[in-house]
Amino acid sequence: MTDDPRSNRPAATPEPASRPTPAAAPDEFVPEDDRIIGLAFRWSLVAIVMIGAIVGGVIWTMRRGGEVVAPIEIPDVKPPAPFDTGARTLPEIPFTDITSDAGIDFVHTNGARGQRLLPETMGGGVAFFDVDGDDDQDILFVNGLAWEDDPDRTETTAALYVNDGRGAFTDVTAGSGLDVPLHGMGVAVGDYDADGRVDVFITTLHENRLFRNVDGRRFEDVTAAAGVGGDADHWSSSAGFCDLDGDGALDLFVCNYVQWTREYDERFPFSLNGRDRAYGPPTQFEGQYGYLYRNNGDGTFADISASSGIQRDNAATGAPIGKSLAVTFCDLDDDGRMDLLVANDTVQNFVFRNLGDGRFEEIGVDTALAYDTNGKSTGAMGIDAAAFGEDGAFGVAIGNFAGENTTFYVRQSSLVFAEMSNLHGIGSPSRQKLTFGLFFFDADLDGRLDLLQTNGHLEEEINAYSPSQHYRQPAQLFWNCGAGGACYAVLPETAVGDLATPIVGRGAAYADIDGDGDLDVLLTQTGGRPMLLRNDAPGGHHWLRVHLRARGANRDAIGATVTLVAGGHTQTRTVMPTRSYLSQVELPLTFGLGSAGVVDALTIRWPDGRMQDVAVTGVDTTIIVSEDAAP
């Protein structure tokens, strides 16, 4: 029997599920939508919901205020086997851990020392971006803090490393202005003031911070002047810059997670074994509204969260329903406006369709992206979206909790998706992993987008209670074999080198750190060291990197779409650093060309809608395309 986070264990052999649940908050277990049977939840030793269509009318009995739960066994349903890759041979795409050799000695602080407080499990983010304008990818690690009552507390800060262009890094945090103690979570990067330098926004457990890039090495805290600090009692997670209203200036969307206080967390005796304290589930905490800030174009932002339509309530309680952990932007309906996809933990995911003029319509249920294939909410953490198939198929991937496979939605029409994780070979291999960051990228430069996800549990002792679960888990690389339009096969651990090292994975990002054309990977751990992984895939495949420079305020062309034709295949990429979990990837776009030595066509749709054809005279190089050159 596999470990399903929604199931209790038989009385004869009580084996706790992957996440504890004590007495439940009453607003959590109510219908969210007329079309949904009930609020499905993971993390479960305890539940109070009738799951008629799923378990034949079994009523889960539980106690409020300290009564004992009557355990019930829920039958295990085995997912289909991974999709057959046909005659294709799985490649070796080894990654080598170069963290120490590259000069990175950062260690994430989460404050954990036995209290089992929920924020300890969630950080931390990382960003690849060009901080100093020398056209290589630097790194910013977001850090947490020890709790105030820790006698060994030190003032830890974020860490900024600059790249020498060959993949060696120097710590320049001291004196940078980013060396500020924060209980940080995630990061967003973007040139919000259009001065040609990339700025930094850090989300925290309390007030968020915006740091203006002064000269490529020094940052100035402009949070108060810009008006983006948010509320001190809000827990923000992922965030992203994107021009949402078409005026050229980068607006800012911020995910908020749950209404958390230490006092409230400590009230509940969360436990895996009935004795020792464990981390509590998000189902115990009320949700929070996200923030949407419109860029005024003068260095300040206007908070349009309430008027924009992004604040969604639980219809039965009136409380905020969102428990948002990740966001990405894409133009789902091809109307020239960027829409928002938001991953929510244990409640429905959001799809905010951009109506223009700062207004959004939430259509998650209508698009079938709100729930999994059984109509249930999942423990959604990381998210990404991309045109992943050779036939132009567009997909959305969301990483979920242990016992819930990564959900993989494939667009059927403009605004309708179908969940196809099992059909495409992702469902079964991902079901026993607890996934946070994930992203699409072309790992072997064959022209097809692969999917990488980083994994790691919350409870260090989880294996003692759930034998299939481990605290440290290896990342997974799903290779796009291209069969049947696009299907995925998870590469064995022996084929991916140090990527298979078990870690407590959280954030994940990619960039070409050494200028060799392939994409390297950075994975963070909560309370531990990151892993910088050099891509050592065998050579032989051609590539092209495209770096855009747009006119106007959105100088980095965030939201631009590039279409490339080579070797009879068409690939489409969008300039979008905001993806994965708490993290940001590099801005340049990498196209793998496989054996094709010639690019037949390259077309750019700039964020303002203008189209530009670009003649490409060579491959295995980086080209810089300026919108100024457009006719």
Side-chain angles (χ1 to χ4, degrees), residues 218-433:
R218 294 182 300 111
F219 289 80
E220 173 190 10
D221 188 337
V222 296
T223 308
V228 293
D231 300 301
D233 63 348
H234 276 45
W235 174 357
S236 297
S237 52
S238 295
F241 287 101
C242 189
D243 179 13
L244 296 173
D245 55 6
D247 65 354
L250 292 179
D251 308 302
L252 175 64
F253 181 85
V254 183
C255 294
N256 283 321
Y257 188 35
V258 295
Q259 189 70 43
W260 182 89
T261 66
R262 178 169 180 168
E263 294 73 21
Y264 187 86
D265 198 335
E266 290 178 334
R267 280 175 53 191
F268 294 95
F270 305 110
S271 181
L272 290 172
N273 58 13
R275 300 184 308 276
D276 303 316
R277 182 171 170 80
Y279 289 108
T283 51
Q284 286 302 119
F285 302 91
E286 207 170 72
Q288 290 186 328
Y289 297 132
Y291 301 132
L292 180 57
Y293 299 103
R294 171 182 271 166
N295 193 326
N296 294 323
D298 59 0
T300 68
F301 291 80
D303 186 343
I304 62 170
S305 307
S307 62
S308 65
I310 67 155
Q311 294 184 343
R312 310 303 300 170
D313 293 331
N314 185 315
T317 67
I321 194 173
K323 300 181 180 182
S324 304
L325 285 177
V327 61
T328 192
F329 307 87
C330 58
D331 184 1
L332 283 180
D333 50 3
D334 200 32
D335 64 355
R337 295 188 290 260
M338 299 300 286
D339 309 301
L340 287 81
L341 306 180
V342 180
N344 282 317
D345 190 0
T346 70
V347 297
Q348 66 188 70
N349 301 314
F350 293 150
V351 178
F352 292 113
R353 184 184 183 188
N354 193 336
L355 303 177
D357 300 322
R359 297 178 299 113
F360 292 82
E361 175 189 17
E362 205 290 300
I363 57 171
V365 172
D366 295 334
T367 61
L369 290 168
Y371 302 99
D372 69 7
T373 190
N374 296 314
K376 298 190 293 183
S377 305
T378 61
M381 267 77 80
I383 191 170
D384 198 8
F388 69 95
E390 292 181 351
D391 57 357
F394 184 87
V396 176
I398 297 178
N400 296 308
F401 202 77
E404 302 167 338
N405 58 259
T406 295
T407 42
F408 185 65
Y409 305 90
V410 179
R411 183 160 58 189
Q412 307 300 296
S413 61
S414 176
L415 288 172
V416 177
F417 286 74
E419 209 285 307
M420 294 186 172
S421 57
N422 285 320
L423 176 64
H424 283 287
I426 295 172
S428 182
S430 64
R431 190 169 188 265
Q432 290 186 340
K433 297 294 188 289

Side-chain angles (χ1 to χ4, degrees), residues 48 115 117 161 240 268 342 445 465 596 629:
I48 191 172
Q115 304 100 314
L117 301 174
Y161 289 84
F268 294 95
V342 180
L445 301 177
Y465 309 106

Side-chain angles (χ1 to χ4, degrees), residues 80-92:
F83 196 92
D84 185 4
T85 60
R88 292 186 178 272
T89 300
L90 296 182
E92 291 193 359

Side-chain angles (χ1 to χ4, degrees), residues 93 95 441-446 448-450 477 518-519 535 537:
I93 310 177
F95 288 81
F441 77 137
D442 189 352
D444 57 350
L445 301 177
D446 65 353
R448 298 185 295 268
L449 286 180
D450 311 300
L477 179 56
D518 57 24
L519 293 173
N535 188 333

Side-chain angles (χ1 to χ4, degrees), residues 61-206:
T61 58
M62 66 171 292
R63 113 180 128 144
R64 294 182 179 268
E67 299 171 351
V68 178
V69 177
I72 297 173
E73 180 176 3
I74 296 179
D76 179 46
V77 179
K78 294 182 179 180
F83 196 92
D84 185 4
T85 60
R88 292 186 178 272
T89 300
L90 296 182
E92 291 193 359
I93 310 177
F95 288 81
T96 301
D97 184 350
I98 61 167
T99 312
S100 296
D101 292 342
I104 294 174
D105 58 2
F106 172 77
V107 180
H108 179 259
T109 297
N110 65 2
R113 59 186 186 93
Q115 304 100 314
R116 296 295 202 271
L117 301 174
L118 185 58
E120 298 168 2
T121 69
M122 305 304 288
V126 66
F128 278 117
F129 71 119
D130 184 4
V131 66
D132 49 10
D134 62 356
D135 291 328
D136 54 42
Q137 299 303 307
D138 309 302
I139 300 172
L140 177 67
F141 293 101
V142 177
N143 209 351
L145 287 173
W147 299 108
E148 292 79 0
D149 59 352
D150 187 340
D152 300 320
R153 176 184 169 95
T154 57
E155 298 293 275
T156 50
T157 75
L160 179 64
Y161 289 84
V162 296
N163 190 347
D164 69 354
R166 299 184 299 275
F169 293 84
T170 301
D171 187 342
V172 297
T173 309
S176 68
L178 297 174
D179 50 345
V180 180
L182 297 172
H183 203 129
M185 288 289 161
V187 57
V189 294
D191 183 7
Y192 83 94
D193 55 356
D195 66 352
R197 293 182 289 269
V198 182
D199 309 299
V200 170
F201 181 81
I202 295 179
T203 64
T204 80
L205 188 60
H206 305 294

Side-chain angles (χ1 to χ4, degrees), residues 130 256 512 524 553 595 614:
D130 184 4
N256 283 321
D512 178 10
T524 71
S595 60
V614 178

